[in-house]
C-alpha cells in the first residue's frame, strides 16, 4: 500500500441505514486515508450507492458515527458534506440538462463579482480546469443536454473538483464510458491520489479496481464482507467475497495461508 | 441564459489568444477543439443564416413564432379595420398590455420551475379590492395601501408555494383552489355594492391611469427612454466583450454587437415615434419595462436566478448541489403572487375602480398564453422574462383588435382558448424536436 497517514480523513463506524422495510446498510465500517484510493465493490443492491449517499448527506444515517479527521461529525444535508470537503459524483448523473457546462460546474457555488454571477471568471476557470484534465468537449457554453454520456461523466467529475475537496466519491464513473475515456478517468483518479485526496471508487469492473485502487472494500447485503489490500489479493478472492461463495472470505484466505505455511 | 453560446471562437492566429495556457503547453489544446457544427459561426450574414437553420431544425424556435404571429395578426386586423395600426391604437395596446404583462412576468418564474399558477387572475382582482377597501373605506394613504395590497399578493403566493413545496400538493391543484378561493374573498370584500370607485386624481391610481405619461407627455421623454435602452445595451455589450477578451475566453464580435444594438435602436426609436404621435409613453408601460429589466437581471445574473433555472432543469441535481429546493419553490410562488397583485393595481388604474369582474374572465388564460407564446416553456428550465413582453404584444394585439371589431365576448373567449392551445402545441412540438436533437 502507498504511504498512508495514521488518522483517516473519513471513517464510518457501525453505520446503519434503513428504507422502510429494506435494511440497506448494517453496521458498516469504512476508513479512507489521504492519498488512498478505496474501491467499494459489491453485487447490485449491496448498498454501495446508499453508503456513499450517507457520506454525501443525501440520506442521513440511522445509527453509527461518521468521523472526519478523527472527530465525530453529523452529516444531514449535502451542504454539510460539501462544507467538510466531500465531493460526490453520482451514478445517476446529477447535472442540470438545461444549464451549460460552466453553469453545471459551478452550480451551488457560483463565483460572484460585486454580488453578481461572474460568468467570465467562471468560464475562464472552467476552461483551465478542463484543459488540465485533458477533457474534450465542444464548448463550455453548450447545454449539458447536447453532450454524450461520456462527456457528461467527465463534466460531472470535473464538477467534483471545483470545491477543492479532501475526499472524492466516484459512483461507477466508468460504467458508461468507452475504452479511451475510461483510461482518462483512471488517470484522473491517479492524479487525485497524487494530490493527496482520499478517493472512494465504486466499480463493477475488477480491471479498473486492480488498476487504481489501494484497498478494496467489499459490501454484501448491506454488511462488510472483507477489506483487502489490492496488491496482494487475487481477483478470485475479491469475487468470492462479493458473491459470498464462502461466508467469510477473510477466513478462507487466512486458512489457505495457514495451509501454505504448514507445507 | 446562454447568450454567450453564440460567440465566435477567436481565430487562433489572431492577437486574442483563446487558449489560456501558453501555446507550448500541450494540455491546453483539447478545450479549444470545437465541433464546428455546434458552435462556430462565420462572421457575417451567411453565418446567421446557417445558425438560424440549425436552430430551427433543433427545435430552438426562440422568438420566431412570436414575430411571425405578430405580423400575421397585425396584417389581418389592419385589413379588417384600418384604424388598427394607427398611433392611438398602438398606444392603447402598449398601455393595456402592461397590466396582464405583470401577471405574465410572475408566471415566467413559475413556468421556469415547470409548474403553473392558476390563481394569478384571482389574486390580481383581490389585490385591487384590498387596495380599494383600504383607500376608500378606511381613507388610507394610497402608497401604503398599495404596499399592503402587494404584500397580500406575496403572502398568498408564499402560502400556496408552501402547500406545494412542503405538503406536496400539486401546484395546479393548490392554485386552482386559490383561483376559486381568492375570487370568493374578493366578492365578499366588495359586498353588495359590487364596485368601489377609487379617486383617480391621486396616488398610484393616478400614476397608473391611461392619461398618465412619462415626463408629462414631453416628446423628449420617449426618445430619452429609447436612447437609455440602446445606450445601456451598447455599453453593456462592449464592456462584456472587453472583459471576455481580457480573460481570454470567446467573445461576441463587434459586428454582431452593432447588429443587435442596431436592431434594438430601430425598434425602440420606432416605438417612441409612434407613441409620441399618440400621446406619449404611459407610465404603466415604463414600469412594466423597468420590471422586465430588473427581473431579467435577477434571473440571469444572480445566484437566485440560477437556482430557479437549476430547479427547473433537474430537481435532484439542484438538491445535490446544495440548493434549498423548497425555498426556491416557495419564493417563486411568492414572486408570482406579488406580480399578480401589482398587475391588479394596474387593472385598478385602468378603470379607477375595483369591480366584481376584476382579474376574472380570460385574464389568467391571457397571462399564461403570453408567457408561453413569448417562448417560455411549460416544461420548465427554458425561457426568459422577455417572453412576457413579446407574448403580451401578441395577446394584447388580438384583444384590442377584437374590441375594435366589436367582437362578442363569446368569440373573444374562443379565440383566446385557441391561441393558448396553439402556443402550447408549438412549445410541445419544439420540445419534441429538441429531444430528438439531444437538446432537452
Ligand atoms: N431511496 C431508497 N428508498 C428505498 N430503498 C432504497 C433506496 N435507495 C436504495 N434502496 C435499497 O437499498 C438497497 C441498496 O441499494 P443501492 O445502495 O442502490 O445498491 P448498489 O448501489 O450497491 O447496487 C437496495 O435494496 C435498494 O432497493
Ligand atoms: Mg448503485
Amino acid at each position: 500500500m502507498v504511504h498512508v497517514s495514521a488518522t483517516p480523513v473519513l471513517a464510518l463506524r457501525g453505520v446503519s441505514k434503513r428504507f422502510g422495510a429494506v435494511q440497506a446498510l448494517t453496521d458498516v465500517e469504512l476508513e479512507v486515508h489521504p492519498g488512498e484510493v478505496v474501491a467499494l465493490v459489491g453485487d447490485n443492491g449491496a448498498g454501495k450507492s446508499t453508503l456513499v449517499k450517507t457520506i454525501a448527506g443525501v440520506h442521513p444515517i440511522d445509527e453509527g458515527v461518521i468521523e472526519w479527521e478523527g472527530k465525530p461529525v453529523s452529516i444531514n444535508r449535502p451542504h454539510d458534506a460539501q462544507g467538510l470537503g466531500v465531493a460526490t459524483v453520482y451514478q445517476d448523473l446529477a447535472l442540470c440538462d438545461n444549464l451549460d457546462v460552466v453553469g453545471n460546474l459551478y452550480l451551488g457555488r457560483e463565483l460572484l463579482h460585486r454580488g453578481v454571477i461572474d460568468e467570465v471568471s467562471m468560464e475562464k476557470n472552467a476552461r483551465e480546469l478542463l484543459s488540465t484534465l485533458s477533457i474534450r468537449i465542444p464548448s463550455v457554453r453548450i447545454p449539458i443536454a447536447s453532450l454524450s454520456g461520456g462527456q457528461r461523466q467527465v463534466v460531472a467529475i470535473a464538477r467534483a473538483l471545483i470545491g477543492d475537496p479532501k475526499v472524492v466519491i466516484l459512483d461507477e464513473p466508468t460504467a458508461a464510458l468507452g475504452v479511451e475515456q475510461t483510461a482518462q478517468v483512471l488517470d484522473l483518479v491517479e492524479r487525485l491520489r497524487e494530490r493527496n485526496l482520499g478517493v472512494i471508487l465504486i466499480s463493477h469492473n475488477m480491471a479498473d479496481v486492480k488498476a487504481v485502487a489501494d484497498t478494496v472494500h467489499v459490501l454484501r447485503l448491506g454488511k462488510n464482507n472483507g477489506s483487502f489490500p489490492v496488491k496482494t489479493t487475487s481477483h478470485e478472492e475479491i469475487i468470492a467475497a462479493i458473491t459470498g461463495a464462502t461466508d467469510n472470505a477473510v477466513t478462507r484466505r487466512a486458512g489457505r495461508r495457514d495451509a501454505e505455511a504448514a507445507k | 441564459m446562454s447568450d454567450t453560446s453564440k460567440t465566435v471562437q477567436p481565430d487562433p492566429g489572431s492577437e486574442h489568444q483563446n487558449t489560456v495556457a501558453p501555446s507550448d503547453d500541450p494540455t491546453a489544446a483539447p478545450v479549444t477543439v470545437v465541433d464546428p457544427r455546434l458552435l462556430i459561426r462565420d462572421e457575417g450574414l451567411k453565418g446567421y443564416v446557417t445558425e438560424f437553420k440549425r436552430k430551427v431544425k433543433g427545435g430552438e424556435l426562440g422568438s420566431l413564432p412570436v414575430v411571425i404571429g405578430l405580423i400575421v395578426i397585425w396584417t389581418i386586423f389592419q385589413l379588417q379595420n384600418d384604424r388598427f395600426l394607427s398611433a392611438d391604437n398602438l398606444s392603447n395596446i402598449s398601455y393595456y398590455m402592461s397590466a396582464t404583462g405583470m401577471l405574465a412576468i410572475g408566471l415566467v418564474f413559475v413556468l421556469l420551475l415547470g409548474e403553473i399558477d392558476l390563481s394569478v387572475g384571482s389574486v390580481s382582482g383581490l389585490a385591487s379590492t384590498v387596495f380599494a377597501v383600504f383607500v376608500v373605506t378606511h381613507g388610507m394613504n394610497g402608497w401604503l395601501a398599495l404596499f399592503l395590497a402587494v404584500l397580500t399578493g406575496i403572502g398568498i403566493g408564499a402560502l400556496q408555494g408552501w402547500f406545494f413545496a412542503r405538503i406536496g400538493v400539486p401546484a395546479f391543484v393548490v392554485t386552482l383552489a386559490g383561483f376559486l378561493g381568492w375570487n370568493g374573498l374578493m366578492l365578499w370584500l366588495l359586498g353588495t355594492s359590487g364596485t368601489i370607485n377609487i379617486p383617480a386624481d391621486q396616488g398610484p391610481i393616478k400614476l397608473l391611469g391611461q392619461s398618465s405619461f412619462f415626463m408629462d407627455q414631453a416628446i423628449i421623454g420617449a426618445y430619452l427612454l429609447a436612447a437609455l435602452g440602446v445606450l445601456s445595451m451598447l455599453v453593456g455589450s462592449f464592456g462584456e466583450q472587453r472583459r471576455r477578451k481580457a480573460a481570454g475566453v470567446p467573445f461576441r464580435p463587434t459586428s454582431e454587437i452593432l447588429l443587435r444594438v442596431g436592431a434594438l435602436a430601430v425598434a425602440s426609436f420606432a416605438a417612441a415615434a409612434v407613441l409620441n404621435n399618440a400621446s406619449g409613453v404611459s407610465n404603466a408601460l415604463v414600469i412594466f419595462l423597468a420590471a422586465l429589466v430588473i427581473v431579467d437581471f435577477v434571473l440571469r445574473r444572480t445566484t437566485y436566478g440560477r437556482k430557479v433555472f437549476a430547479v427547473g432543469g433537474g430537481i435532484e441535481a439542484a438538491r445535490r448541489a446544495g440548493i434549498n429546493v423548497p425555498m426556491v419553490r416557495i419564493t417563486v410562488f411568492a414572486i408570482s403572487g406579488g406580480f399578480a397583485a401589482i398587475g391588479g393595481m394596474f387593472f385598478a388604474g385602468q378603470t379607477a375602480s375595483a369591480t366584481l369582474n376584476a382579474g376574472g374572465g380570460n385574464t389568467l388564460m391571457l397571462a399564461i398564453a403570453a408567457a408561453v407564446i413569448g417562448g417560455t416553456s411549460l416544461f420548465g428550465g427554458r425561457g426568459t422574462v422577455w417572453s412576457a413582453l413579446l407574448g403580451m404584444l401578441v395577446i394584447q394585439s388580438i384583444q384590442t383588435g377584437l374590441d375594435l371589431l366589436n367582437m362578442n365576448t363569446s368569440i373573444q373567449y374562443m379565440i383566446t382558448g385557441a391561441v393558448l392551445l396553439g402556443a402550447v402545441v408549438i412549445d410541445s412540438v419544439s420540445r419534441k424536436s429538441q429531444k430528438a436533437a439531444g437538446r432537452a
Side-chain angles (χ1 to χ4, degrees):
Chain A
M1 198 185 298
V2 290
H3 129 86
V4 159
S5 74
T7 320
V9 57
L10 175 76
L12 271 60
R13 314 267 183 224
V15 165
S16 299
K17 176 70 196 174
R18 207 172 9 261
F19 294 111
V22 181
Q23 183 75 36
L25 298 175
T26 313
D27 235 2
V28 173
E29 308 277 330
L30 180 74
E31 285 191 358
V32 186
H33 297 81
E36 183 187 25
V37 178
V38 176
L40 195 57
V41 298
D43 238 338
N44 279 331
K48 307 180 296 293
S49 297
T50 305
L51 182 64
V52 299
K53 281 178 184 170
T54 62
I55 301 169
V58 176
H59 300 312
I61 57 173
D62 295 332
E63 281 161 46
V65 178
I66 298 179
E67 287 177 9
W68 184 260
E69 294 173 334
K71 292 183 211 64
V73 289
S74 64
I75 300 179
N76 297 313
R77 296 176 300 145
H79 191 83
D80 300 341
Q82 278 174 23
L84 290 169
V86 178
T88 315
V89 182
Y90 293 96
Q91 181 177 16
D92 38 347
L93 294 168
L95 298 172
C96 286
D97 278 354
N98 60 330
L99 298 183
D100 60 23
V101 175
V102 176
N104 269 290
L105 286 178
Y106 281 93
L107 186 59
R109 52 190 166 201
E110 288 82 7
L111 300 182
L112 299 182
H113 177 68
R114 293 194 205 127
V116 175
I117 293 182
D118 188 352
E119 294 285 357
V120 176
S121 298
M122 278 163 42
E123 185 168 331
K124 182 170 182 273
N125 294 356
R127 291 165 67 89
E128 278 170 357
L129 177 69
L130 297 184
S131 285
T132 58
L133 302 178
S134 307
I135 290 170
R136 287 168 160 268
I137 48 169
S139 158
V140 293
R141 282 298 180 189
I142 49 172
I144 287 295
S146 23
L147 295 182
S148 73
Q151 289 168 332
R152 290 179 194 212
Q153 183 61 273
V154 150
V155 170
I157 294 174
R159 168 174 162 71
L161 299 180
I162 281 198
D164 248 342
K166 289 186 173 163
V167 170
V168 177
I169 302 173
L170 305 172
D171 190 353
E172 303 204 20
T174 58
L177 302 190
V179 178
E180 197 189 319
Q181 275 171 326
T182 298
Q184 271 182 18
V185 170
L186 297 182
D187 279 354
L188 183 53
V189 171
E190 273 171 353
R191 245 166 270 162
L192 300 184
R193 174 169 47 202
E194 283 157 20
R195 290 195 202 179
N196 216 31
L197 300 180
V199 179
I200 302 176
L201 171 75
I202 299 184
S203 182
H204 272 126
N205 187 331
M206 278 308 137
D208 291 1
V209 171
K210 286 292 239 178
V212 293
D214 300 308
T215 312
V216 59
H217 196 95
V218 182
L219 273 188
R220 179 165 159 71
L221 305 173
K223 295 181 184 151
N224 288 114
N225 204 30
S227 176
F228 314 91
V230 168
K231 286 227 175 78
T232 56
T233 310
S234 75
H235 219 106
E236 291 70 30
E237 284 170 297
I238 301 172
I239 301 287
I242 292 172
T243 56
T246 79
D247 274 337
N248 190 335
V250 184
T251 333
R252 194 189 75 147
R253 179 176 154 73
R256 198 193 59 204
R257 284 223 166 135
D258 289 347
E260 275 169 3
K263 271 184 202 167
Chain B
M1 323 226 15
S2 55
D3 52 353
T4 48
S5 68
K6 297 171 206 137
T7 50
V8 169
Q9 292 270 352
D11 178 352
S14 81
E15 54 178 317
H16 315 298
Q17 275 290 341
N18 56 337
T19 39
V20 184
S23 48
D24 58 346
D25 179 356
T27 59
V31 172
T32 57
V33 173
V34 172
D35 181 347
R37 285 162 305 171
L38 278 171
L39 280 170
I40 294 191
R41 187 170 64 206
D42 318 318
E43 279 191 64
L45 206 60
K46 188 167 153 279
Y48 279 94
V49 175
T50 322
E51 171 161 302
F52 179 74
K53 277 189 194 154
R54 177 186 68 73
K55 283 199 158 176
V56 171
K57 263 197 192 143
E60 284 175 84
L61 297 177
S63 41
L64 182 69
V66 191
V67 174
I68 293 176
L70 208 56
I71 293 171
V72 170
I73 290 160
W74 284 14
T75 312
I76 292 176
F77 281 121
Q78 179 67 15
L79 291 177
Q80 300 290 316
N81 184 327
D82 60 8
R83 270 189 304 141
F84 183 78
L85 288 180
S86 68
D88 277 326
N89 194 50
L90 291 175
S91 164
N92 265 340
I93 291 176
S94 79
Y95 171 72
Y96 283 103
M97 78 176 183
S98 307
T100 317
M102 283 293 178
L103 273 59
I105 291 181
L107 276 169
V108 167
F109 277 86
V110 179
L111 292 178
L112 282 176
L113 292 189
E115 300 296 338
I116 192 79
D117 185 347
L118 300 176
S119 72
V120 290
S122 299
V123 171
S124 73
L126 177 62
S128 65
T129 302
V130 166
F131 175 82
V133 168
F134 279 144
V135 168
V136 177
T137 317
H138 299 289
M140 188 186 280
N141 172 289
W143 296 106
L144 180 60
L146 173 120
F147 176 74
L148 292 176
V150 174
L151 214 59
T152 306
I154 293 174
I156 287 173
L159 180 71
Q160 294 179 154
W162 181 83
F163 273 105
F164 165 56
R166 293 284 181 199
I167 309 293
V169 188
F172 96 91
V173 181
V174 178
T175 56
L176 185 61
F179 167 79
L180 198 64
W182 306 123
N183 192 241
L185 180 58
M186 179 191 83
L187 298 179
W188 182 77
L189 282 175
L190 283 174
T192 44
S193 66
T195 300
I196 302 177
N197 289 313
I198 312 167
D201 55 355
Q202 61 189 31
I205 295 304
K206 179 172 183 232
L207 180 77
L208 294 170
Q210 197 173 0
S211 50
S212 152
F213 296 97
F214 182 68
M215 288 184 67
D216 290 328
Q217 232 161 323
I219 290 278
I220 184 122
Y223 293 116
L224 263 182
L225 284 174
L228 186 70
V230 172
L231 210 67
S232 16
M233 183 170 175
L234 198 67
V235 170
S237 303
F238 277 114
E240 175 163 347
Q241 191 198 48
R242 190 174 40 75
R243 272 182 293 121
R244 292 187 148 268
K245 273 184 187 173
V249 294
F251 53 88
R252 226 187 261 291
T254 304
S255 63
E256 189 183 333
I257 291 180
L258 291 180
L259 202 69
R260 292 168 143 256
V261 174
L264 178 74
V266 169
S268 50
F269 279 98
V274 167
L275 293 181
N276 266 343
N277 251 331
S279 326
V281 188
S282 64
N283 279 322
L285 179 63
V286 176
I287 297 171
F288 178 46
L289 292 176
L292 286 167
V293 170
I294 293 169
V295 168
D296 180 54
F297 179 83
V298 168
L299 280 177
R300 289 195 304 117
R301 294 278 181 241
T302 68
T303 48
Y304 178 74
R306 185 58 52 89
K307 287 176 188 172
V308 172
F309 275 95
V311 172
I315 289 163
E316 196 49 36
R319 210 160 71 90
R320 289 178 189 177
I323 292 172
N324 185 341
V325 175
M327 187 280 290
V328 171
R329 287 174 159 169
I330 291 173
T331 50
V332 159
F333 277 87
I335 288 170
S336 175
F339 273 105
I342 296 173
M345 300 307 304
F346 280 49
F347 287 127
Q350 288 173 3
T351 58
S353 63
T355 64
L356 285 174
N357 43 24
N362 54 1
T363 310
L364 168 70
M365 299 295 164
L366 294 178
I368 296 175
V372 177
I373 290 174
T376 295
S377 173
L378 277 173
F379 302 101
R382 283 185 297 122
T384 89
V385 74
W386 295 104
S387 57
L389 174 66
L390 292 172
M392 275 318 298
L393 267 176
V394 172
I395 290 292
Q396 198 59 53
S397 295
I398 295 174
Q399 289 299 106
T400 311
L402 293 176
D403 280 344
L404 210 59
L405 300 179
N406 286 320
M407 286 281 188
N408 224 310
T409 311
S410 56
I411 307 279
Q412 292 205 8
Y413 280 13
M414 286 190 269
I415 291 182
T416 310
V419 168
L420 178 57
L421 184 65
V424 175
V425 166
I426 291 176
D427 182 31
S428 306
V429 169
S430 91
R431 182 179 150 88
K432 252 188 167 171
S433 48
Q434 284 194 339
K435 271 204 162 145
R439 285 186 165 266

